[in-house]
Structures are given as C-alpha cells and as structure tokens.
C-alpha cells in the first residue's frame, strides 16, 4: 500500500507500508555477498535496498527486492537460510529534517525502531527502510497521521 503525503513545502513523503525484506544468513567470507546478489541477478530480481554485515565468521544481509517470495524460494533452494520480515519504506525529499518528522511520530507513539538503513538514489530523494518492534502499529500511526505530515 502506497501512501503519498505532500507536505506544506511541497516535499512528498511516499510510504510503502506493506514492504517486506529478506534476511539472508551466510558464512562471512570473501565472495559470499556477491554469490547472493548473483543468484538474484540471474533470476531478474531487482535489489531495491540492502545492508549487510559480518563478523569474519557469520554474515547476514537485509535486502528489499521487487519479488520477495520468489527471491526467498530461490535463495532457499540454493541452501541459504532466509526469513521474510515486515518493514516500512519511506521515500522522502533529500533535505535536512525530512525523515525526522516520521521518526518523531513513531517515537511519540512508543514504537521502537530496531534498525534503519537508508540511501539517496539521487540528489532529490532518499529512501529509508525501517524495521520496528511493532510494524503493524507503526503502519496504523503513519497512516493516521499522514494528514498531520501534510501540514508540516
């Protein structure tokens, strides 16, 4: 579900509140992440956002793709342990304070952000992927307060 809010300063906030990410676990060694991205690429699965981390033994990646269920099945068939998790994707203007309004709203409703990763695809917009302790509650809060964002 996409929610589009136009703020007072004409800065759109696009919320994809039904996003999901894959969490893929692998041995942390040279080429591990490349193997994962090659598998996805070979099956025409587009990576929309990604963060990865390792500790010289175990690694994992959080990846938002355009075909979540298909990617999950393919990676499992290649022997990877994969989880699908709900996340919220926010696309905001790439200006100071744009992301803060949404994060502040979540904090005001006692929604804990477990982690966030973000990127700027161009000079005009940035996208944040947010994993919350209560993603369903966060979706309700962001949906209900879309009008409030439009006035700020």
């Amino acid at each position: 579900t996409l929610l589009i809010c136009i703020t007072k300063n004409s800065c759109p906030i696009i919320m994809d509140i039904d996003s999901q990410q894959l969490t893929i676990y692998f041995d942390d060694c040279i080429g591990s992440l490349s193997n994962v991205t090659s598998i996805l690429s070979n099956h025409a699965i587009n990576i929309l956002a990604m963060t990865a981390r390792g500790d010289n033994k175990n690694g994992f990646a959080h990846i938002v793709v355009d075909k979540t269920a298909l990617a999950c099945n393919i990676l499992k068939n290649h022997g990877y342990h994969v989880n699908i998790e709900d996340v919220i994707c926010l696309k905001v203007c790439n200006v100071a304070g744009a992301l803060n309004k949404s994060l502040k709203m979540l904090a005001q409703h006692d929604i804990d952000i477990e982690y966030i990763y973000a990127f700027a695809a161009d000079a005009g917009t940035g996208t944040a992927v947010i994993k919350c302790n209560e993603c369903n509650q966060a979706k309700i809060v962001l949906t209900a307060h879309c009008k409030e964002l439009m006035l700020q």
Side-chain angles (χ1 to χ4, degrees):
T1 304
L2 285 179
L3 295 175
I4 301 174
C5 305
I6 306 297
T7 60
K8 207 168 158 182
N9 62 357
S10 299
C11 182
I13 298 173
I14 302 170
M15 301 179 210
D16 187 349
I17 60 171
D18 290 325
S19 294
Q20 293 182 312
Q21 73 177 4
L22 301 172
T23 299
I24 304 136
Y25 300 91
F26 47 83
D27 292 333
D28 184 20
C29 58
I30 295 171
S32 294
L33 192 56
S34 173
N35 291 339
V36 170
T37 59
S38 291
I39 292 167
L40 296 175
S41 175
N42 291 340
H43 290 86
I45 295 170
N46 189 26
I47 296 171
L48 306 173
M50 178 173 69
T51 185
R53 186 178 151 171
D55 61 9
N56 293 320
K57 184 177 178 184
N58 300 304
F60 67 90
H62 298 301
I63 304 178
V64 177
V65 296
D66 62 345
K67 302 169 192 161
T68 306
L70 177 62
C72 182
N73 289 334
I74 289 168
L75 289 167
K76 283 183 176 183
N77 288 340
H78 279 83
Y80 289 95
H81 177 74
V82 184
N83 293 329
I84 296 177
E85 302 170 303
D86 290 336
V87 293
I88 296 170
C89 291
L90 295 181
K91 186 172 186 176
V92 298
C93 288
N94 192 9
V95 297
L99 181 59
N100 180 55
K101 292 174 185 175
S102 297
L103 297 181
K104 207 173 186 180
M105 190 178 304
L106 294 174
Q108 289 170 350
H109 287 84
D110 295 322
I111 296 171
D112 183 39
I113 295 173
E114 293 178 24
Y115 55 85
I116 182 171
Y117 51 103
F119 62 95
D122 56 49
T125 60
T127 301
V129 180
I130 302 170
K131 175 70 172 119
C132 304
N133 63 335
E134 293 288 337
C135 263
N136 287 335
Q137 183 62 26
K139 292 173 188 182
I140 293 167
V141 167
L142 291 172
T143 301
H145 292 286
C146 191
K147 289 181 183 175
E148 184 179 321
L149 283 174
M150 295 197 301
L151 299 175
Q152 297 180 4

